[in-house]
Amino acid sequence: MHYLRIHNRSNHPQTFQCHGYNGNKDLTIKANGEASIEAPDGTSGAIIAVHEGQIGEQCEITKHGWMGNDTIDISNICGAGGNMTCQQVGDPAGKFKGHETFMQACNTAYHKLPQDKKNQLNGHVFLDGKGNVKRIAAPKDFQPLEEFVRTFANGRTYIGVGAWGPSGGNPADNAQSKAGNGSKDILIIYSDGNAAPDPSKPFTGQSVEAAAFSAASIVGGIKMAAAPQALGPGIQLTNKSPRKNTYYFYDNYWNGNGEAGANFDHPLKHVEVGPNQTVHVDLPTSFKGRVQRGDQQPATWGEFQVKASSDGGAHGDISLEQGCDGAATVASTDGSNVSNGFEKDILKGAPAAALDKKPNGEKALASTEGNWKGPGNQAAVDWEYKELGHGKAYIKGGTGVPDVASKNNCLHFTFYVP
């Protein structure tokens, strides 16, 4: 068993949200205290510092991922109020992820800004009684703040959302999630001062030893592959949810030229995925169908084929034609950094006329194409086009949505559970 070894090197108790670890329960570590949390191979999640009730810097972890290597990084995409670093236990003291004096560098950079730039950051940079920076909001949500943070922390931590959706991401961000060397204990340091593993040893480079593999971002932002991964045929599947969910795979009954016979009642297999966990699901290269959360409709479909006859690669898209029970994205894993889909919770605020319920009572957006329950729901069609436009997911009809391809016969689907 491996562990997350978390050190609070501040003079005050520090609370951390634990996503995917510690039973998803918050952890408060006393001043200058330590805690160890079990981190079994195959798990993933994040340890997130909380400041004034707001999440900030976080260590993102995937244990024993691709090729048996850990993937760790420090992310500030959701904000900051302290300093955090991480490394695999056993790495040299100077090799770690994160900016060891992030807040001090932030404060220095802020005081050098002209007044008009400071004004622009009002409501996103928060000062203490002495006029020094005590906390920042999420750079991912405000472009001027992201640009400011890059002036002092670019290349040392995740700042923007990375490569996902329509964005290719910033290369300095994408480089953060390269894999380590093997599976080991993970050391996480929090400090109001210097958070380097050994403050007497200077930073010499990021803790990157083995292959280049980008993990899924568990909290706040999401990342795609920074380099090709040696994954077998099938999909990477991320359950972006605070609870475990079961995902079902349906092979089509028949396939034609741009058409398919949808399978509603005979799933090929199903997998249970833990909170904010990513798993690899092996599938035969002949698979051509969908993955969805649960086995009831309406539901968001991740449609894909593992090996197309045209080019031998995997191809996929997101479809809302049989309903929507949450957002979903699909991405390549062959290093091409192609993705599509959406992350927005479009059930929120949807008109009552656009809604339906699953047999289990769960609310979802109704089918836009219709099925055994009746014709398509026009209110759902109108709402989804209003919220998403025409290029992110199939809403009506069978054309117009860019296909995502991956030459290595493996796509990455992420489901967001509202």
Side-chain angles (χ1 to χ4, degrees), residues 274-289:
N276 296 310
Q277 186 180 14
T278 299
V279 299
H280 181 77
V281 181
D282 293 317
L283 291 166
T285 56
S286 60
F287 182 90
K288 188 173 184 179

Side-chain angles (χ1 to χ4, degrees), residues 21 289 382:
Y21 296 102
D382 295 342

Side-chain angles (χ1 to χ4, degrees), residues 141-156:
D141 294 335
F142 190 59
Q143 187 66 31
L145 179 60
E146 177 182 336
E147 293 171 356
F148 165 64
V149 174
R150 290 198 186 282
T151 65
F152 63 87
N154 198 46
R156 296 293 304 277

Side-chain angles (χ1 to χ4, degrees), residues 142-273:
F142 190 59
Q143 187 66 31
L145 179 60
E146 177 182 336
E147 293 171 356
F148 165 64
V149 174
R150 290 198 186 282
T151 65
F152 63 87
N154 198 46
R156 296 293 304 277
T157 177
Y158 254 100
I159 299 169
V161 297
W164 198 261
S167 170
N170 186 289
D173 288 349
N174 298 336
Q176 298 303 308
S177 287
K178 294 179 180 177
N181 186 14
S183 180
K184 304 175 182 177
D185 286 3
I186 305 300
L187 177 64
I188 302 170
I189 304 290
Y190 171 86
S191 178
D192 295 327
N194 190 322
D198 181 348
S200 68
K201 301 291 178 63
F203 175 75
T204 58
Q206 290 192 340
S207 184
V208 178
E209 297 292 344
F213 171 73
S214 249
S217 174
I218 304 304
V219 178
I222 313 149
K223 312 170 186 75
M224 281 176 56
Q229 307 167 32
L231 299 169
I235 68 166
Q236 292 285 93
L237 177 60
T238 295
N239 173 44
K240 191 162 177 57
S241 170
R243 58 188 180 275
K244 66 182 179 182
N245 284 286
T246 301
Y247 292 85
Y248 287 77
F249 292 78
Y250 292 83
D251 215 349
N252 293 336
Y253 280 135
W254 54 267
N255 298 292
N257 184 16
E259 298 179 338
N263 173 0
F264 288 96
D265 49 7
H266 289 92
L268 174 71
K269 66 191 302 183
H270 64 273
V271 295
E272 188 176 271
V273 188

Side-chain angles (χ1 to χ4, degrees), residues 105-125:
C106 180
N107 186 59
T108 298
Y110 179 80
H111 285 297
K112 292 180 180 179
L113 291 176
Q115 190 59 47
D116 63 327
K117 292 292 186 181
K118 291 180 180 178
N119 294 342
Q120 189 181 32
L121 295 175
N122 281 347
H124 301 274
V125 173

Side-chain angles (χ1 to χ4, degrees), residues 19 23 78 128 130 136 164 206 213 259 315 335 341 353 364 371 384 391:
H19 290 213
C78 290
D128 62 20
K130 297 181 180 180
I136 65 170
W164 198 261
Q206 290 192 340
F213 171 73
E259 298 179 338
H315 292 259
N371 49 37
E384 290 168 8

